[in-house]
Amino acid sequence: MILLSLSYSKQYHLRELFYSFFKSLVGKDVVVELKNDLSICGTLHSVDQYLNIKLTDISVTDPEKYPHMLSVKNCFIRGSVVRYVQLPADEVDTQLLQDAARKEAMQQKQ
Amino acid sequence: MNYMPGTASLIEDIDKKHLVLLRDGRTLIGFLRSIDQFANLVLHQTVERIHVGKKYGDIPRGIFIVRGENVVLLGEIDLEKESETVLQQVSIEEILEEQRSQQQAKQEAEKAKTQALKDRGLSIPRVDMLDEY
């Protein structure tokens, strides 16, 4: 995992941590739930420092009361509208992530 | 050619037909001409598409400059998929009429709900209108 190769002292912000975390998940299938209650399933193509997300091969998971997405295969989602990013449990080392986040939070406090 | 490999960039989406979902629920479709770091967009030959049920109507809007904070998502329109759409295009007047009745029904339901909550001393704030940056 990419996180293992980045020493915690090199990351100055908690945001950098999650940027690295998402970078390590590129290529995996995720479900992004937005603040407007729209849920989109797709393959994580890329992420940026604002946690904007690009997904490929998307499908709207909930009943298609969002018909406008039918002709869209790839999309760019602004980071500020994301509520959740759902990932399969076996793709994430939660222990490592928790430790990293805790260390970052403590570093930020100082 | 990717200018910053691995990062989510809109550079490759320039000059392609896109669907933009706005925070107020509107759907814009146009050619993406310009972007910046805030996801401010310039759309060309923009059309506002209104969806009601299986019908939709397009209102031509010309050139749009969208402030990034209002963008929910930007989707590249696959022209093949678009030609196989099951949706039925109707005239602007018809879709606006359909939308009006849909909004009315929604408002009445919302009103009944907030009244019921008010009677119990509760209220629900709207989350999707916050921008935390």
Side-chain angles (χ1 to χ4, degrees):
Chain A
M1 257 186 70
I2 290 180
L3 270 178
L4 285 169
S5 56
L6 289 164
S7 82
Y8 304 134
S9 58
K10 284 189 189 158
Q11 289 154 232
Y12 302 108
H13 296 287
L14 206 53
R15 237 203 222 176
E16 277 298 312
L17 174 69
F18 283 97
Y19 174 36
S20 307
F21 171 65
F22 281 121
K23 277 205 288 194
S24 75
L25 291 174
V26 165
K28 304 280 180 5
D29 287 334
V30 298
V31 179
V32 182
E33 182 176 324
L34 307 178
K35 288 181 183 165
N36 66 357
D37 294 339
L38 175 60
S39 274
I40 304 174
C41 173
T43 311
L44 185 62
H45 173 269
S46 52
V47 66
D48 69 6
Q49 49 170 318
Y50 302 111
L51 303 186
N52 293 332
I53 293 172
K54 263 195 148 182
L55 296 175
T56 53
D57 280 327
I58 60 167
S59 57
V60 179
T61 53
D62 299 348
E64 315 258 345
K65 52 178 182 156
Y66 301 98
H68 24 262
M69 304 289 292
L70 289 176
S71 35
V72 175
K73 269 178 68 177
N74 309 325
C75 73
F76 166 93
I77 302 173
R78 200 169 189 271
S80 61
V81 303
V82 173
R83 183 185 289 142
Y84 305 123
V85 177
Q86 299 164 10
L87 324 153
D90 44 358
E91 284 170 9
V92 179
D93 183 342
T94 43
Q95 202 51 46
L96 189 65
L97 186 61
Q98 277 186 347
D99 290 343
R102 206 169 294 132
K103 289 211 168 107
E104 273 318 297
M106 296 215 300
Q107 278 195 352
Q108 271 199 320
K109 262 192 184 161
Q110 291 157 3
Chain B
M1 198 248 282
N2 198 344
Y3 292 85
M4 285 189 295
T7 55
S9 174
L10 287 172
I11 291 221
E12 283 127 42
D13 293 318
I14 286 209
D15 290 339
K16 296 192 185 144
K17 194 170 182 189
H18 279 82
L19 174 149
V20 183
L21 262 175
L22 299 177
R23 285 221 313 236
D24 62 4
R26 274 188 280 190
T27 307
L28 298 178
I29 296 183
F31 291 94
L32 185 63
R33 296 298 185 204
S34 184
I35 53 158
D36 70 359
Q37 71 269 38
F38 304 111
N40 291 332
L41 314 167
V42 175
L43 292 172
H44 189 208
Q45 288 166 7
T46 318
V47 137
E48 181 180 334
R49 184 164 286 184
I50 300 178
H51 287 270
V52 180
K54 285 243 144 107
K55 303 186 193 160
Y56 72 90
D58 286 347
I59 306 173
R61 294 289 194 197
I63 299 179
F64 245 97
I65 296 179
V66 185
R67 188 180 159 88
E69 64 171 320
N70 298 297
V71 173
V72 170
L73 69 80
L74 190 68
E76 185 186 336
I77 292 196
D78 188 304
L79 297 168
E80 267 181 41
K81 271 186 130 184
E82 203 190 11
S83 55
E84 334 168 316
T85 184
V86 295
L87 304 172
Q88 176 204 8
Q89 180 164 23
V90 299
S91 69
I92 298 180
E93 295 81 24
E94 196 184 327
I95 200 72
L96 286 174
E97 189 48 53
E98 296 263 351
Q99 194 188 38
R100 212 168 298 145
S101 27
Q102 192 195 46
Q103 303 288 50
Q104 215 176 345
K106 224 190 259 186
Q107 269 176 3
E108 281 162 23
E110 191 65 32
K111 209 167 138 195
K113 199 173 92 168
T114 46
Q115 188 56 41
L117 285 171
K118 213 167 102 176
D119 291 340
R120 287 157 179 78
L122 307 162
S123 75
I124 300 182
R126 283 187 58 177
V127 169
D128 60 292
M129 289 289 157
L130 298 170
D131 188 277
E132 258 92 62
Y133 285 156

